[in-house]
Amino acid sequence: MEILKYDIENSLFEMLHVDCENALELYPAQPLLYRLNGFALNKLKKYNEAIDVLTIGIDFVIDNNEMEADFYKQFSIAYDKLGNKSDALKYKQKENELRN
């Protein structure tokens, strides 16, 4: 976990992506790893890949509104950058519902 924290703090998004991929091989049911990987892919402008990773990972989120909201935020960013404003808005609204 310290490695992932270091990657984020130093904006090493390529390393974060690689480290998350490696960690997911060992811990394939950890939603945090999927969320961080989606975050890294969004930062790397790999929006379709981010959506794919987030779609898999959100299924592992159980009874954690904050984590689920974070997933929706990353979905919203990816869809917005791809120009899909309706899906971006849909996920932004889901995020806001969970945070309020």
Side-chain angles (χ1 to χ4, degrees):
M1 220 32 145
E2 289 301 313
I3 292 170
L4 303 177
K5 187 176 175 183
Y6 177 85
D7 292 345
I8 294 167
E9 289 172 352
N10 292 284
S11 299
L12 302 173
F13 302 119
E14 188 65 47
M15 283 303 304
L16 179 60
H17 168 57
V18 170
D19 290 337
C20 285
E21 289 287 313
N22 290 336
L24 282 166
E25 288 181 20
L26 299 172
Y27 308 102
Q30 291 298 315
L32 177 62
L33 297 174
Y34 291 96
R35 189 190 60 77
L36 291 176
N37 200 6
F39 168 75
L41 288 165
N42 273 340
K43 291 292 188 181
L44 295 169
K45 300 180 180 175
K46 297 179 180 181
Y47 307 116
N48 286 313
E49 289 179 52
I51 291 167
D52 291 344
V53 166
L54 294 166
T55 299
I56 295 167
I58 200 161
D59 288 340
F60 295 106
V61 178
I62 300 169
D63 295 330
N64 187 332
N65 286 351
E66 188 65 28
M67 175 75 70
E68 191 174 349
D70 289 343
F71 267 83
Y72 291 144
K73 178 179 181 179
Q74 294 305 314
F75 273 119
S76 180
I77 290 167
Y79 280 115
D80 183 61
K81 296 295 185 179
L82 289 170
N84 186 336
K85 303 300 182 194
S86 64
D87 278 345
L89 181 61
K90 176 179 82 173
Y91 284 105
K92 188 66 175 168
Q93 289 172 335
K94 285 184 175 193
E95 175 195 358
N96 289 338
E97 287 171 12
L98 287 171
R99 294 199 194 274
N100 293 328

